[in-house]
Amino acid sequence: MSMIADALGVSSATVSNALSGKGRVSVDLVDKIRKKADELGYVPSNAGRALRTGRSNVLGLVLPDISNPLFPQIAQAMETAASNAGYGVLIADSRGNVTTQTQAISRLIERGVDGLVVIPRRGTRIGDVGCPVAMVDTPSTPGNTVSADHWEGGAKVARHLVDLGHKNFLLIGHDPASNVQNDRIGGMKSAFGRNIRHTTIWLETLMRERGEQASLGLIDHLQNGVTAIAAVSDLHALRVLTELQTAGIKVPQQVSVTGFDDLIFSPVVTPSLTTVHMDMARIAELAIAALVCEIEQAKSTAPTGKTLKRTVTADISKVSMELMVRASSGPAVSPDAPFPTGETL
């Protein structure tokens, strides 16, 4: 800034005001100062601005497991919403571990983020960390800021299958401690009538007992009359499709399969996967808006000693999910039809 001031014969304060849009500086002089700044390769110092304003204009984002293809999509939506609000984003990965999640939050706080967006592992609560926090999980999680209406999404996919004549379901979850997965399965069950049979299996429990590569035992369930398999994630639905196709079972002619999240591969697998789509852009917009509002309020009321909320509240707490009907769901097989055992490929 001193170099720019010397080159144009003005004060450093004038340069500062021109570049920040503050103070009384003529339009012509602002243009000259900004042109000279570009020529000299001037880049504003975020560290200097943070020292002056007490804010970094950076938000922290804590993801539960970045290897899951859902969460990079969420990260992109959050980064876009934050950028539109004038903030950068630092991302930390909990790697599926509650202790790592706590450490990730601490590291982001140490780096001076103005606020946090946390997608918690196993529905954990986030205590007072010294800055505003937006929690994105499921409406049943205490302190949740905003999220997809996972219960509603489960009910939508279940009603779709019931309308196709299915009366015997296998529901597949992964983590019985997950609030999101429990809400999705709870929503499915809420849409079942009295004449609907359903069984739930949890993959985490199954794999702990039988190993990571254990069969899901789908053929046994089909032989017991199951005509529809509803998974809480497209990843698990893909595993179901693979096991069925390996056994020579046709989808949806012999059994319907549905997933959740509408991941990038869901429209292009064979058959294309019926699933439930989450409006991540809208959720991110609401979460970031609530977080930025609390940051601004905390800044303006800081001298009064106002206590920060542990988690912020959004204008809308639940965002509707959309059923995506594709080729993997179809009419139920007649209960009188013989069940072909298929052929192992």
Side-chain angles (χ1 to χ4, degrees), residues 12 27 35 61 65 72 88 91 112 158-159 163 178 190 197 215 218 228 249 264 280:
S12 294
V27 174
K35 183 178 179 180
L61 173 62
D65 182 1
I91 298 175
R159 282 195 293 268
D163 289 345
S178 165
S190 72
R197 295 173 56 193
S215 166
L218 300 179
I249 304 301
I264 191 169
M280 289 178 279

Side-chain angles (χ1 to χ4, degrees), residues 75-313:
Q76 184 179 52
M78 290 292 177
E79 194 282 331
T80 299
S83 178
N84 290 339
Y87 285 77
V89 177
L90 288 176
I91 298 175
D93 182 14
S94 297
R95 299 195 292 276
N97 184 276
V98 176
T99 301
T100 305
Q101 173 182 278
T102 302
Q103 294 169 345
I105 291 172
S106 297
R107 285 196 301 272
L108 290 171
I109 295 297
E110 289 169 1
R111 290 172 185 253
V113 296
D114 292 331
L116 288 169
V117 179
V118 179
I119 303 174
R121 168 65 175 161
R122 295 179 181 267
T124 49
R125 299 190 187 191
I126 308 302
D128 185 357
V129 297
C131 72
V133 176
M135 185 185 296
V136 180
D137 194 41
T138 187
S140 66
T141 298
N144 188 64
T145 300
V146 62
S147 66
D149 191 340
H150 299 284
W151 187 283
E152 175 208 40
K156 282 184 175 181
V157 74
R159 282 195 293 268
H160 165 66
L161 293 168
V162 169
D163 289 345
L164 288 171
H166 295 279
K167 296 183 179 181
N168 196 334
F169 288 76
L170 177 64
L171 311 181
I172 297 182
H174 181 265
D175 181 1
S178 165
N179 289 351
V180 169
Q181 294 182 34
N182 276 294
D183 280 0
R184 290 178 175 185
I185 287 180
M188 293 178 194
K189 292 179 179 179
S190 72
F192 293 155
R194 294 181 179 179
N195 63 334
I196 302 296
R197 295 173 56 193
H198 57 84
T199 302
T200 303
I201 62 173
W202 295 98
L203 298 185
E204 190 173 84
T205 303
L206 181 71
M207 291 187 295
R208 186 168 57 247
E209 295 173 350
R210 305 181 189 176
E212 292 283 336
Q213 304 303 318
S215 166
L216 303 182
L218 300 179
I219 302 304
D220 292 339
H221 289 285
L222 268 58
Q223 289 176 334
N224 288 328
V226 166
T227 62
I229 302 174
V232 299
S233 164
D234 289 352
L235 285 176
H236 308 322
L238 181 61
R239 180 172 179 174
V240 168
L241 287 175
T242 301
E243 186 166 316
L244 292 172
Q245 290 170 353
T246 300
I249 304 301
K250 297 180 179 179
V251 177
Q253 292 88 341
Q254 294 172 247
V255 61
S256 289
V257 177
T258 62
F260 239 101
D261 295 327
D262 196 21
L263 297 180
I264 191 169
F265 61 77
S266 301
V268 297
V269 295
T270 302
S272 57
L273 185 62
T274 293
T275 185
V276 186
H277 177 80
M278 178 164 38
D279 189 348
M280 289 178 279
R282 179 61 174 152
I283 293 168
E285 177 186 290
L286 289 165
I288 296 298
L291 193 58
V292 170
C293 180
E294 183 66 17
I295 290 169
E296 296 293 341
Q297 288 181 359
K299 178 186 177 184
S300 63
T301 60
T304 68
K306 176 186 175 184
T307 301
L308 292 173
K309 298 178 183 177
R310 287 191 174 185
T311 55
V312 301
T313 303

